[in-house]
Amino acid sequence: ICSNLAFSQLSFGVHTGYGTKSAYLGLKNKTHFMPYLSIQSASLRITDDYDGDTEKVKLGIIMPTIGTKYYLKDNGKLKPYLDLTISKPIFYANPADEFESLNLWAGSAGIGTEYFLDPQFSLGGEFGFTYLHGNYDESYRSYTNNGNYVTETETIKISGNPTYARISLNFYFNKKE
């Protein structure tokens, strides 16, 4: 492990994501693996003006990701790889509403390649599959026929597996010799 860290090279990249843009910070070493951290975010502001009453709402998502690239073969300037990630999307709203009971997870598996224009710069392309899974629980009180209130819980499960394609710009900083 120590010898791999001694020969590690810091990497940084930007790419299109799942409809949002993102950036990653990774550590390329002598092995074929490059672990990295990534983050994606998006926000939306809504203003509703009805009969002089103005309501403002801000919605957003932050999606931290842990992933790794596995470089398959060194073909000179062209380097194909496999990519595997896991993400924890976090929704937020202001004023806070509804998202407290929402639990989401995502993961992806892709295949791509990087073309190195220079030892410190590459252009990449990737295609992959994403798996999204979520639960939403809502509890509420309802009135029964005999005059009592009961608490009921509704659970909604969400899942999907969209594909993705992205283009990336990758920067590799000089390693210390």
Side-chain angles (χ1 to χ4, degrees):
I1 292 175
C2 290
S3 66
N4 280 338
L5 287 175
F7 292 100
S8 295
Q9 186 177 18
L10 185 65
S11 62
F12 171 76
V14 293
H15 52 73
T16 59
Y18 312 113
T20 62
K21 310 298 181 254
S22 66
Y24 75 85
L25 192 61
L27 199 60
K28 188 175 179 186
N29 55 47
K30 286 184 359 179
T31 69
H32 291 274
F33 288 96
M34 185 187 79
Y36 63 88
L37 299 172
S38 175
I39 192 157
Q40 296 182 60
S41 66
S43 64
L44 176 67
R45 290 188 170 110
I46 302 167
T47 301
D48 182 14
D49 192 2
Y50 181 75
D51 281 343
D53 289 331
T54 301
E55 183 179 358
K56 294 182 180 183
V57 177
K58 181 179 178 184
L59 303 172
I61 183 172
I62 297 173
M63 194 160 64
T65 301
I66 297 172
T68 189
K69 285 184 181 179
Y70 177 75
Y71 291 91
L72 299 170
K73 190 175 179 181
D74 188 350
N75 291 332
K77 291 186 173 197
L78 192 63
K79 296 185 179 10
Y81 64 85
L82 299 175
D83 188 42
L84 189 63
T85 68
I86 188 163
S87 303
K88 176 64 176 134
I90 302 164
F91 279 96
Y92 62 90
N94 186 6
D97 192 24
E98 300 298 321
F99 293 114
E100 295 163 359
S101 299
L102 182 61
N103 183 18
L104 294 172
W105 286 95
S108 67
I111 186 164
T113 190
E114 290 183 38
Y115 181 77
F116 282 77
L117 301 168
D118 182 270
Q120 278 76 44
F121 179 73
S122 72
L123 295 173
E126 184 178 327
F127 175 79
F129 297 93
T130 303
Y131 178 73
L132 302 169
H133 175 76
N135 290 0
Y136 176 74
D137 294 321
E138 182 177 2
S139 294
Y140 53 91
R141 293 182 68 183
S142 68
Y143 187 72
T144 63
N145 290 340
N146 63 4
N148 295 327
Y149 286 100
V150 292
T151 301
E152 297 186 52
T153 301
E154 179 181 10
T155 300
I156 300 171
K157 294 186 179 192
I158 305 161
S159 64
N161 54 350
T163 60
Y164 68 90
R166 63 181 168 206
I167 297 173
S168 62
L169 301 175
N170 308 288
F171 304 91
Y172 296 90
F173 301 95
N174 286 334
K175 44 184 164 174
K176 296 184 179 180
E177 300 286 332

PDB file of all heavy atoms in Angstrom, residues 98-127:
ATOM      1  N   GLU A  98     -41.840  17.314   2.966  1.00  0.00           N
ATOM      2  CA  GLU A  98     -41.964  16.027   2.285  1.00  0.00           C
ATOM      3  C   GLU A  98     -40.687  15.199   2.120  1.00  0.00           C
ATOM      4  O   GLU A  98     -40.760  14.009   2.032  1.00  0.00           O
ATOM      5  CB  GLU A  98     -42.580  16.200   0.885  1.00  0.00           C
ATOM      6  CG  GLU A  98     -43.955  16.791   0.870  1.00  0.00           C
ATOM      7  CD  GLU A  98     -44.986  15.943   1.584  1.00  0.00           C
ATOM      8  OE1 GLU A  98     -44.940  14.707   1.479  1.00  0.00           O
ATOM      9  OE2 GLU A  98     -45.827  16.520   2.273  1.00  0.00           O
ATOM     10  N   PHE A  99     -39.504  15.797   2.025  1.00  0.00           N
ATOM     11  CA  PHE A  99     -38.318  15.026   1.669  1.00  0.00           C
ATOM     12  C   PHE A  99     -37.655  14.348   2.859  1.00  0.00           C
ATOM     13  O   PHE A  99     -36.727  13.582   2.689  1.00  0.00           O
ATOM     14  CB  PHE A  99     -37.294  15.910   0.950  1.00  0.00           C
ATOM     15  CG  PHE A  99     -37.765  16.360  -0.399  1.00  0.00           C
ATOM     16  CD1 PHE A  99     -38.020  17.699  -0.643  1.00  0.00           C
ATOM     17  CD2 PHE A  99     -37.977  15.451  -1.417  1.00  0.00           C
ATOM     18  CE1 PHE A  99     -38.465  18.118  -1.879  1.00  0.00           C
ATOM     19  CE2 PHE A  99     -38.423  15.855  -2.650  1.00  0.00           C
ATOM     20  CZ  PHE A  99     -38.672  17.188  -2.878  1.00  0.00           C
ATOM     21  N   GLU A 100     -38.121  14.628   4.067  1.00  0.00           N
ATOM     22  CA  GLU A 100     -37.517  14.020   5.247  1.00  0.00           C
ATOM     23  C   GLU A 100     -37.674  12.506   5.246  1.00  0.00           C
ATOM     24  O   GLU A 100     -36.841  11.791   5.774  1.00  0.00           O
ATOM     25  CB  GLU A 100     -38.119  14.628   6.503  1.00  0.00           C
ATOM     26  CG  GLU A 100     -37.800  16.097   6.645  1.00  0.00           C
ATOM     27  CD  GLU A 100     -38.712  16.804   7.629  1.00  0.00           C
ATOM     28  OE1 GLU A 100     -39.618  16.153   8.194  1.00  0.00           O
ATOM     29  OE2 GLU A 100     -38.516  18.010   7.821  1.00  0.00           O
ATOM     30  N   SER A 101     -38.725  12.000   4.650  1.00  0.00           N
ATOM     31  CA  SER A 101     -38.987  10.563   4.639  1.00  0.00           C
ATOM     32  C   SER A 101     -38.514   9.879   3.361  1.00  0.00           C
ATOM     33  O   SER A 101     -38.771   8.709   3.154  1.00  0.00           O
ATOM     34  CB  SER A 101     -40.490  10.308   4.798  1.00  0.00           C
ATOM     35  OG  SER A 101     -40.945  10.823   6.004  1.00  0.00           O
ATOM     36  N   LEU A 102     -37.832  10.613   2.507  1.00  0.00           N
ATOM     37  CA  LEU A 102     -37.353  10.066   1.239  1.00  0.00           C
ATOM     38  C   LEU A 102     -35.943   9.523   1.417  1.00  0.00           C
ATOM     39  O   LEU A 102     -35.052  10.226   1.894  1.00  0.00           O
ATOM     40  CB  LEU A 102     -37.367  11.153   0.159  1.00  0.00           C
ATOM     41  CG  LEU A 102     -36.949  10.738  -1.242  1.00  0.00           C
ATOM     42  CD1 LEU A 102     -37.868   9.660  -1.799  1.00  0.00           C
ATOM     43  CD2 LEU A 102     -36.945  11.958  -2.161  1.00  0.00           C
ATOM     44  N   ASN A 103     -35.727   8.270   1.071  1.00  0.00           N
ATOM     45  CA  ASN A 103     -34.427   7.619   1.187  1.00  0.00           C
ATOM     46  C   ASN A 103     -34.037   7.091  -0.191  1.00  0.00           C
ATOM     47  O   ASN A 103     -34.714   6.225  -0.731  1.00  0.00           O
ATOM     48  CB  ASN A 103     -34.507   6.486   2.209  1.00  0.00           C
ATOM     49  CG  ASN A 103     -33.179   5.822   2.427  1.00  0.00           C
ATOM     50  OD1 ASN A 103     -32.129   6.366   2.095  1.00  0.00           O
ATOM     51  ND2 ASN A 103     -33.215   4.628   2.985  1.00  0.00           N
ATOM     52  N   LEU A 104     -32.960   7.622  -0.772  1.00  0.00           N
ATOM     53  CA  LEU A 104     -32.519   7.236  -2.109  1.00  0.00           C
ATOM     54  C   LEU A 104     -31.106   6.677  -2.100  1.00  0.00           C
ATOM     55  O   LEU A 104     -30.265   7.111  -1.320  1.00  0.00           O
ATOM     56  CB  LEU A 104     -32.534   8.449  -3.053  1.00  0.00           C
ATOM     57  CG  LEU A 104     -33.876   9.068  -3.377  1.00  0.00           C
ATOM     58  CD1 LEU A 104     -33.676  10.357  -4.159  1.00  0.00           C
ATOM     59  CD2 LEU A 104     -34.716   8.094  -4.176  1.00  0.00           C
ATOM     60  N   TRP A 105     -30.847   5.737  -2.994  1.00  0.00           N
ATOM     61  CA  TRP A 105     -29.510   5.204  -3.268  1.00  0.00           C
ATOM     62  C   TRP A 105     -29.382   5.038  -4.773  1.00  0.00           C
ATOM     63  O   TRP A 105     -30.366   4.782  -5.464  1.00  0.00           O
ATOM     64  CB  TRP A 105     -29.296   3.850  -2.589  1.00  0.00           C
ATOM     65  CG  TRP A 105     -29.116   3.990  -1.124  1.00  0.00           C
ATOM     66  CD1 TRP A 105     -30.077   3.869  -0.169  1.00  0.00           C
ATOM     67  CD2 TRP A 105     -27.915   4.304  -0.443  1.00  0.00           C
ATOM     68  NE1 TRP A 105     -29.552   4.095   1.070  1.00  0.00           N
ATOM     69  CE2 TRP A 105     -28.210   4.366   0.933  1.00  0.00           C
ATOM     70  CE3 TRP A 105     -26.607   4.548  -0.853  1.00  0.00           C
ATOM     71  CZ2 TRP A 105     -27.253   4.652   1.893  1.00  0.00           C
ATOM     72  CZ3 TRP A 105     -25.657   4.833   0.115  1.00  0.00           C
ATOM     73  CH2 TRP A 105     -25.977   4.881   1.466  1.00  0.00           C
ATOM     74  N   ALA A 106     -28.162   5.163  -5.261  1.00  0.00           N
ATOM     75  CA  ALA A 106     -27.913   4.976  -6.690  1.00  0.00           C
ATOM     76  C   ALA A 106     -26.551   4.320  -6.876  1.00  0.00           C
ATOM     77  O   ALA A 106     -25.658   4.464  -6.043  1.00  0.00           O
ATOM     78  CB  ALA A 106     -27.962   6.317  -7.431  1.00  0.00           C
ATOM     79  N   GLY A 107     -26.395   3.645  -7.965  1.00  0.00           N
ATOM     80  CA  GLY A 107     -25.119   3.042  -8.336  1.00  0.00           C
ATOM     81  C   GLY A 107     -25.033   2.978  -9.842  1.00  0.00           C
ATOM     82  O   GLY A 107     -26.052   3.041 -10.533  1.00  0.00           O
ATOM     83  N   SER A 108     -23.825   2.876 -10.352  1.00  0.00           N
ATOM     84  CA  SER A 108     -23.681   2.777 -11.803  1.00  0.00           C
ATOM     85  C   SER A 108     -22.500   1.881 -12.157  1.00  0.00           C
ATOM     86  O   SER A 108     -21.573   1.711 -11.364  1.00  0.00           O
ATOM     87  CB  SER A 108     -23.493   4.164 -12.441  1.00  0.00           C
ATOM     88  OG  SER A 108     -22.257   4.719 -12.057  1.00  0.00           O
ATOM     89  N   ALA A 109     -22.571   1.320 -13.346  1.00  0.00           N
ATOM     90  CA  ALA A 109     -21.487   0.526 -13.916  1.00  0.00           C
ATOM     91  C   ALA A 109     -21.362   0.944 -15.371  1.00  0.00           C
ATOM     92  O   ALA A 109     -22.353   0.998 -16.093  1.00  0.00           O
ATOM     93  CB  ALA A 109     -21.793  -0.965 -13.815  1.00  0.00           C
ATOM     94  N   GLY A 110     -20.139   1.288 -15.770  1.00  0.00           N
ATOM     95  CA  GLY A 110     -19.945   1.767 -17.131  1.00  0.00           C
ATOM     96  C   GLY A 110     -18.636   1.285 -17.729  1.00  0.00           C
ATOM     97  O   GLY A 110     -17.772   0.754 -17.033  1.00  0.00           O
ATOM     98  N   ILE A 111     -18.524   1.496 -19.020  1.00  0.00           N
ATOM     99  CA  ILE A 111     -17.289   1.202 -19.740  1.00  0.00           C
ATOM    100  C   ILE A 111     -16.948   2.434 -20.563  1.00  0.00           C
ATOM    101  O   ILE A 111     -17.831   3.095 -21.112  1.00  0.00           O
ATOM    102  CB  ILE A 111     -17.427  -0.058 -20.632  1.00  0.00           C
ATOM    103  CG1 ILE A 111     -16.081  -0.406 -21.251  1.00  0.00           C
ATOM    104  CG2 ILE A 111     -18.524   0.103 -21.668  1.00  0.00           C
ATOM    105  CD1 ILE A 111     -16.015  -1.809 -21.816  1.00  0.00           C
ATOM    106  N   GLY A 112     -15.682   2.771 -20.574  1.00  0.00           N
ATOM    107  CA  GLY A 112     -15.277   3.972 -21.279  1.00  0.00           C
ATOM    108  C   GLY A 112     -13.832   3.907 -21.715  1.00  0.00           C
ATOM    109  O   GLY A 112     -13.154   2.890 -21.540  1.00  0.00           O
ATOM    110  N   THR A 113     -13.372   4.999 -22.261  1.00  0.00           N
ATOM    111  CA  THR A 113     -11.974   5.101 -22.662  1.00  0.00           C
ATOM    112  C   THR A 113     -11.513   6.540 -22.511  1.00  0.00           C
ATOM    113  O   THR A 113     -12.318   7.466 -22.552  1.00  0.00           O
ATOM    114  CB  THR A 113     -11.761   4.601 -24.111  1.00  0.00           C
ATOM    115  OG1 THR A 113     -10.369   4.507 -24.366  1.00  0.00           O
ATOM    116  CG2 THR A 113     -12.420   5.519 -25.117  1.00  0.00           C
ATOM    117  N   GLU A 114     -10.228   6.696 -22.294  1.00  0.00           N
ATOM    118  CA  GLU A 114      -9.609   8.015 -22.242  1.00  0.00           C
ATOM    119  C   GLU A 114      -8.552   8.066 -23.336  1.00  0.00           C
ATOM    120  O   GLU A 114      -7.801   7.118 -23.528  1.00  0.00           O
ATOM    121  CB  GLU A 114      -8.948   8.280 -20.891  1.00  0.00           C
ATOM    122  CG  GLU A 114      -9.912   8.466 -19.762  1.00  0.00           C
ATOM    123  CD  GLU A 114      -9.212   8.798 -18.450  1.00  0.00           C
ATOM    124  OE1 GLU A 114      -8.218   9.552 -18.475  1.00  0.00           O
ATOM    125  OE2 GLU A 114      -9.665   8.280 -17.423  1.00  0.00           O
ATOM    126  N   TYR A 115      -8.523   9.186 -24.039  1.00  0.00           N
ATOM    127  CA  TYR A 115      -7.485   9.419 -25.036  1.00  0.00           C
ATOM    128  C   TYR A 115      -6.585  10.515 -24.482  1.00  0.00           C
ATOM    129  O   TYR A 115      -7.026  11.635 -24.255  1.00  0.00           O
ATOM    130  CB  TYR A 115      -8.079   9.834 -26.381  1.00  0.00           C
ATOM    131  CG  TYR A 115      -7.017  10.057 -27.429  1.00  0.00           C
ATOM    132  CD1 TYR A 115      -6.419   8.967 -28.044  1.00  0.00           C
ATOM    133  CD2 TYR A 115      -6.604  11.333 -27.771  1.00  0.00           C
ATOM    134  CE1 TYR A 115      -5.426   9.153 -28.996  1.00  0.00           C
ATOM    135  CE2 TYR A 115      -5.618  11.528 -28.714  1.00  0.00           C
ATOM    136  CZ  TYR A 115      -5.027  10.430 -29.322  1.00  0.00           C
ATOM    137  OH  TYR A 115      -4.047  10.618 -30.253  1.00  0.00           O
ATOM    138  N   PHE A 116      -5.307  10.184 -24.271  1.00  0.00           N
ATOM    139  CA  PHE A 116      -4.364  11.116 -23.677  1.00  0.00           C
ATOM    140  C   PHE A 116      -3.719  11.971 -24.759  1.00  0.00           C
ATOM    141  O   PHE A 116      -2.949  11.486 -25.581  1.00  0.00           O
ATOM    142  CB  PHE A 116      -3.298  10.368 -22.871  1.00  0.00           C
ATOM    143  CG  PHE A 116      -3.799   9.915 -21.533  1.00  0.00           C
ATOM    144  CD1 PHE A 116      -4.617   8.807 -21.422  1.00  0.00           C
ATOM    145  CD2 PHE A 116      -3.481  10.627 -20.388  1.00  0.00           C
ATOM    146  CE1 PHE A 116      -5.105   8.408 -20.194  1.00  0.00           C
ATOM    147  CE2 PHE A 116      -3.959  10.232 -19.155  1.00  0.00           C
ATOM    148  CZ  PHE A 116      -4.777   9.122 -19.047  1.00  0.00           C
ATOM    149  N   LEU A 117      -4.064  13.262 -24.736  1.00  0.00           N
ATOM    150  CA  LEU A 117      -3.441  14.222 -25.638  1.00  0.00           C
ATOM    151  C   LEU A 117      -2.064  14.612 -25.122  1.00  0.00           C
ATOM    152  O   LEU A 117      -1.210  15.075 -25.891  1.00  0.00           O
ATOM    153  CB  LEU A 117      -4.323  15.464 -25.778  1.00  0.00           C
ATOM    154  CG  LEU A 117      -5.725  15.179 -26.323  1.00  0.00           C
ATOM    155  CD1 LEU A 117      -6.621  16.381 -26.149  1.00  0.00           C
ATOM    156  CD2 LEU A 117      -5.645  14.776 -27.783  1.00  0.00           C
ATOM    157  N   ASP A 118      -1.865  14.428 -23.831  1.00  0.00           N
ATOM    158  CA  ASP A 118      -0.644  14.782 -23.121  1.00  0.00           C
ATOM    159  C   ASP A 118      -0.606  13.874 -21.899  1.00  0.00           C
ATOM    160  O   ASP A 118      -1.656  13.389 -21.474  1.00  0.00           O
ATOM    161  CB  ASP A 118      -0.756  16.277 -22.722  1.00  0.00           C
ATOM    162  CG  ASP A 118       0.467  16.790 -22.021  1.00  0.00           C
ATOM    163  OD1 ASP A 118       0.499  16.689 -20.770  1.00  0.00           O
ATOM    164  OD2 ASP A 118       1.372  17.300 -22.700  1.00  0.00           O
ATOM    165  N   PRO A 119       0.551  13.604 -21.290  1.00  0.00           N
ATOM    166  CA  PRO A 119       0.553  12.744 -20.102  1.00  0.00           C
ATOM    167  C   PRO A 119      -0.312  13.283 -18.943  1.00  0.00           C
ATOM    168  O   PRO A 119      -0.741  12.522 -18.089  1.00  0.00           O
ATOM    169  CB  PRO A 119       2.027  12.698 -19.680  1.00  0.00           C
ATOM    170  CG  PRO A 119       2.772  12.949 -20.944  1.00  0.00           C
ATOM    171  CD  PRO A 119       1.922  13.905 -21.743  1.00  0.00           C
ATOM    172  N   GLN A 120      -0.579  14.606 -18.929  1.00  0.00           N
ATOM    173  CA  GLN A 120      -1.378  15.182 -17.855  1.00  0.00           C
ATOM    174  C   GLN A 120      -2.813  15.552 -18.275  1.00  0.00           C
ATOM    175  O   GLN A 120      -3.549  16.118 -17.490  1.00  0.00           O
ATOM    176  CB  GLN A 120      -0.697  16.456 -17.314  1.00  0.00           C
ATOM    177  CG  GLN A 120       0.409  16.196 -16.316  1.00  0.00           C
ATOM    178  CD  GLN A 120       1.679  15.703 -16.975  1.00  0.00           C
ATOM    179  OE1 GLN A 120       2.088  16.234 -17.994  1.00  0.00           O
ATOM    180  NE2 GLN A 120       2.284  14.681 -16.408  1.00  0.00           N
ATOM    181  N   PHE A 121      -3.244  15.253 -19.505  1.00  0.00           N
ATOM    182  CA  PHE A 121      -4.573  15.659 -19.961  1.00  0.00           C
ATOM    183  C   PHE A 121      -5.162  14.619 -20.900  1.00  0.00           C
ATOM    184  O   PHE A 121      -4.497  14.136 -21.813  1.00  0.00           O
ATOM    185  CB  PHE A 121      -4.494  17.006 -20.690  1.00  0.00           C
ATOM    186  CG  PHE A 121      -5.808  17.474 -21.219  1.00  0.00           C
ATOM    187  CD1 PHE A 121      -6.792  17.951 -20.367  1.00  0.00           C
ATOM    188  CD2 PHE A 121      -6.085  17.424 -22.577  1.00  0.00           C
ATOM    189  CE1 PHE A 121      -8.019  18.371 -20.850  1.00  0.00           C
ATOM    190  CE2 PHE A 121      -7.308  17.845 -23.076  1.00  0.00           C
ATOM    191  CZ  PHE A 121      -8.270  18.327 -22.212  1.00  0.00           C
ATOM    192  N   SER A 122      -6.437  14.274 -20.652  1.00  0.00           N
ATOM    193  CA  SER A 122      -7.111  13.321 -21.537  1.00  0.00           C
ATOM    194  C   SER A 122      -8.566  13.727 -21.758  1.00  0.00           C
ATOM    195  O   SER A 122      -9.159  14.429 -20.944  1.00  0.00           O
ATOM    196  CB  SER A 122      -7.058  11.904 -20.958  1.00  0.00           C
ATOM    197  OG  SER A 122      -7.921  11.790 -19.847  1.00  0.00           O
ATOM    198  N   LEU A 123      -9.109  13.269 -22.874  1.00  0.00           N
ATOM    199  CA  LEU A 123     -10.533  13.372 -23.174  1.00  0.00           C
ATOM    200  C   LEU A 123     -11.110  11.976 -22.996  1.00  0.00           C
ATOM    201  O   LEU A 123     -10.499  10.993 -23.410  1.00  0.00           O
ATOM    202  CB  LEU A 123     -10.759  13.829 -24.607  1.00  0.00           C
ATOM    203  CG  LEU A 123     -10.290  15.224 -24.981  1.00  0.00           C
ATOM    204  CD1 LEU A 123     -10.432  15.446 -26.474  1.00  0.00           C
ATOM    205  CD2 LEU A 123     -11.097  16.257 -24.214  1.00  0.00           C
ATOM    206  N   GLY A 124     -12.296  11.894 -22.385  1.00  0.00           N
ATOM    207  CA  GLY A 124     -12.881  10.588 -22.143  1.00  0.00           C
ATOM    208  C   GLY A 124     -14.310  10.495 -22.632  1.00  0.00           C
ATOM    209  O   GLY A 124     -15.001  11.499 -22.802  1.00  0.00           O
ATOM    210  N   GLY A 125     -14.729   9.281 -22.858  1.00  0.00           N
ATOM    211  CA  GLY A 125     -16.110   8.980 -23.210  1.00  0.00           C
ATOM    212  C   GLY A 125     -16.529   7.730 -22.465  1.00  0.00           C
ATOM    213  O   GLY A 125     -15.714   6.825 -22.278  1.00  0.00           O
ATOM    214  N   GLU A 126     -17.775   7.700 -22.011  1.00  0.00           N
ATOM    215  CA  GLU A 126     -18.235   6.563 -21.208  1.00  0.00           C
ATOM    216  C   GLU A 126     -19.709   6.302 -21.461  1.00  0.00           C
ATOM    217  O   GLU A 126     -20.487   7.225 -21.681  1.00  0.00           O
ATOM    218  CB  GLU A 126     -18.011   6.881 -19.727  1.00  0.00           C
ATOM    219  CG  GLU A 126     -18.355   5.760 -18.799  1.00  0.00           C
ATOM    220  CD  GLU A 126     -18.058   6.111 -17.347  1.00  0.00           C
ATOM    221  OE1 GLU A 126     -17.092   6.852 -17.080  1.00  0.00           O
ATOM    222  OE2 GLU A 126     -18.813   5.638 -16.488  1.00  0.00           O
ATOM    223  N   PHE A 127     -20.084   5.030 -21.427  1.00  0.00           N
ATOM    224  CA  PHE A 127     -21.478   4.605 -21.511  1.00  0.00           C
ATOM    225  C   PHE A 127     -21.713   3.636 -20.362  1.00  0.00           C
ATOM    226  O   PHE A 127     -20.860   2.804 -20.051  1.00  0.00           O
ATOM    227  CB  PHE A 127     -21.769   3.907 -22.840  1.00  0.00           C
ATOM    228  CG  PHE A 127     -23.168   3.361 -22.901  1.00  0.00           C
ATOM    229  CD1 PHE A 127     -24.242   4.193 -23.173  1.00  0.00           C
ATOM    230  CD2 PHE A 127     -23.410   2.025 -22.656  1.00  0.00           C
ATOM    231  CE1 PHE A 127     -25.540   3.700 -23.198  1.00  0.00           C
ATOM    232  CE2 PHE A 127     -24.700   1.512 -22.691  1.00  0.00           C
ATOM    233  CZ  PHE A 127     -25.765   2.363 -22.965  1.00  0.00           C
TER     234      PHE A 127
END
